Amino acid sequence: MIVFNLGCENSHRFEGWFASSEDFERQVDGKLVACPLCGNANIARLPNAAHVKSGAKERPARVGPPVVPSQQYANMGSEVLAKLVEHIIENTEDVGAAFPEEARKIHYREAPERRIRGTASRDDVEALKEEGVEVVALPLPAHRAGKTH
Ligand SMILES: [Zn+2]
């Protein structure tokens, strides 16, 4: 079946369903199609908006945050990184798995402001960031991973 946008002599618009365009022409020539509003049988096919547009596919502009390249450091050396991590570990309180909760509490000033570290799932980190909590992921050296003070 094909749908055609049709119009009568009185500028009424309506849709007509036909088996094919030949079927449409045959029915119009035979005055078998009449306007449902006024009964006028002088029907003309109107351009179908959907079909007219299909020629040029307009892609909607991509919406989304721009992709910002993340900061990378080169030649840090494992020693520098290890020292940095040590420093962070010494100056943070390990809250372990309670990290997302604690981070949130501190953010909303429900807990004393302090530096904390701990574990959080990707989803947790995403949620925290959305709430405006500053979260930094840092690779822990193997000998430090899982250690609690
Ligand atoms: Zn009409």
Side-chain angles (χ1 to χ4, degrees):
M1 294 295 280
I2 316 175
V3 186
F4 286 139
N5 285 335
L6 306 176
C8 76
E9 281 182 325
N10 297 316
S11 305
H12 296 131
R13 287 168 173 244
F14 55 97
E15 282 184 349
W17 293 71
F18 303 93
S20 63
S21 48
E22 290 80 37
D23 179 45
F24 160 75
E25 278 165 27
R26 190 176 53 76
Q27 289 198 40
V28 168
D29 286 349
K31 307 276 185 207
L32 296 171
V33 185
C35 170
L37 295 167
C38 66
N40 187 295
N42 286 323
I43 304 301
R45 194 181 150 191
L46 302 173
N48 188 325
H51 290 172
V52 170
K53 264 203 169 179
S54 68
K57 276 186 187 167
E58 286 174 43
R59 276 165 191 255
R62 221 179 86 98
V63 184
V67 178
V68 179
S70 65
Q71 190 81 43
Q72 305 289 336
Y73 296 93
N75 301 320
M76 280 261 290
S78 56
E79 288 160 47
V80 179
L81 192 64
K83 268 186 189 165
L84 184 72
V85 170
E86 280 301 322
H87 178 81
I88 289 166
I89 287 170
E90 275 165 28
N91 290 282
T92 52
E93 184 187 325
D94 191 355
V95 294
F99 178 80
E101 201 188 323
E102 280 301 310
R104 223 173 243 121
K105 275 187 190 168
I106 292 165
H107 182 70
Y108 293 111
R109 308 205 186 283
E110 288 166 12
E113 191 168 340
R114 63 208 199 277
R115 297 190 181 102
I116 57 166
R117 67 179 191 279
T119 54
S121 70
R122 234 181 114 130
D123 287 347
D124 283 332
V125 170
E126 286 301 313
L128 286 169
K129 282 182 177 172
E130 271 173 30
E131 286 174 51
V133 182
E134 229 176 274
V135 186
V136 179
L138 203 70
L140 269 187
H143 70 280
R144 275 305 205 170
K147 264 193 188 175
T148 51
H149 278 281

